[in-house]
Amino acid sequence: MSESDRLKSDIDELVPDMVALRRDLHQHPELAFEEVRTSGIVVQRLRTMGLEVQTGIAKTGVVGLLRGGASKPGAKTIAIRADMDALPIHELNEIDYRSTVDGKMHACGHDGHTSILLAVADILNKRRAELAGNVKFVFQPAEESIGGAAPMIKEGAMQEVDGIIGLHLISDYPLGRVGVRSGTTFASADRFILTVKGKGGHAAMPEASIDPIVIAAYIVTALQTVISRETSPFAPAVITVGRIQAGTAFNIIPETAEMQGTIRAFRAEHRQKLVRRIGEIATGIATAMGGTCLVEVIDGCPPCVNDSGMTEVVHKAAVATVGEKDVDDSEEVMGTGSDDMACFLEAVPGCYFIVGTNNEEKGANYPHHHPRFNIDEDALPIGVEVLTRAAMEFLR
Ligand SMILES: [Zn+2]
Ligand SMILES: [Zn+2]
């Protein structure tokens, strides 16, 4: 049996355990920085393999270090990252491994990511003697919303790491396909809060008030022109106002109106420009209409930018796994979603790629963050194989 066939058969053997673990995690979802049970399972499994394990990084993060038996001084270290957190969504799937926690659900596939990375650790650990370098398995908390990557880096997770790889399972991407692309893949994400201050009063006497609702309405409309009039059609970007809150009754002009929204961009300089223009437009309009506007931009996550060398390594691994025709480097691989894998990719050269899980026949065709989101578990061994091959190739 060739080395390549041996790898495939080793992975096949792990599939029942991977599926069982993924379903177990699915039944017990934990939100950002609360991944106590999940990280406990990760720690226990990594320790059983004999890896050096660090716990409590960024609260619930875990790092396992596998030292290759064929490492010489100066040998390289590759990190492989998986996120572990679930979402505050009530699951509507009727499956026997449905979430057991009301209002919490693995609706983004991070249960699959965790299961995949533990299988990769197992496979590489069995090849420890022949590995000419080290592998760091990085299990990150809080990818959704708050961000666990940045504090993990701050606490040293990327020290002595030469490259990083990771994947996201994608439900609207066909099963059997792997998308890997150099440059920017996922967008940046910044949340903005605009608080318009006017002057409250009686709704029947607007001349004695400054109406913050009317000011907010103008701001929402003007923000649309940042994308349509100030942004190149060749530079994709999004500004969405997702929430407006103002007023208590039909006959009162309120004091304030608050808007919240998100900004997505694919380039750092573009991201900065959008942030700046939102502030200028909001304050300019508010001032022109006699009010003021407080501008806050928070929760920033940079775009995911893949290194060309690391992308080549992953691309080669993907071709060996699913064949040339099912490896995609087109713009289809890009998404306006964000992922704080971006922080790791800023810290060290890396490649973040996507693995398709879409299969209508199995009901795995709902979008991410949907109460009926699910994956075709046949994608799990594909993820394992690409990551394993890429790590071995990097350390060769
Ligand atoms: Zn998500
Ligand atoms: Zn996700």
Side-chain angles (χ1 to χ4, degrees), residues 87 108 110 143-144 168 369:
L87 284 153
C108 203
H110 301 185
E143 186 282 317
E144 307 285 0
H168 209 301
H369 298 200

Side-chain angles (χ1 to χ4, degrees), residues 83 108-110 113 143-144 168-169 338-339 352 368-369:
D83 42 14
C108 203
H110 301 185
H113 300 170
E143 186 282 317
E144 307 285 0
H168 209 301
L169 299 168
S338 70
D339 196 299
Y352 199 44
H368 288 250
H369 298 200

Side-chain angles (χ1 to χ4, degrees), residues 42-44 46-47 50-55 62-65:
V42 168
V43 168
Q44 183 250 321
L46 294 177
R47 285 209 172 118
L51 268 55
E52 292 169 34
V53 181
Q54 272 179 286
T55 62
V62 180
V63 171
L65 180 64

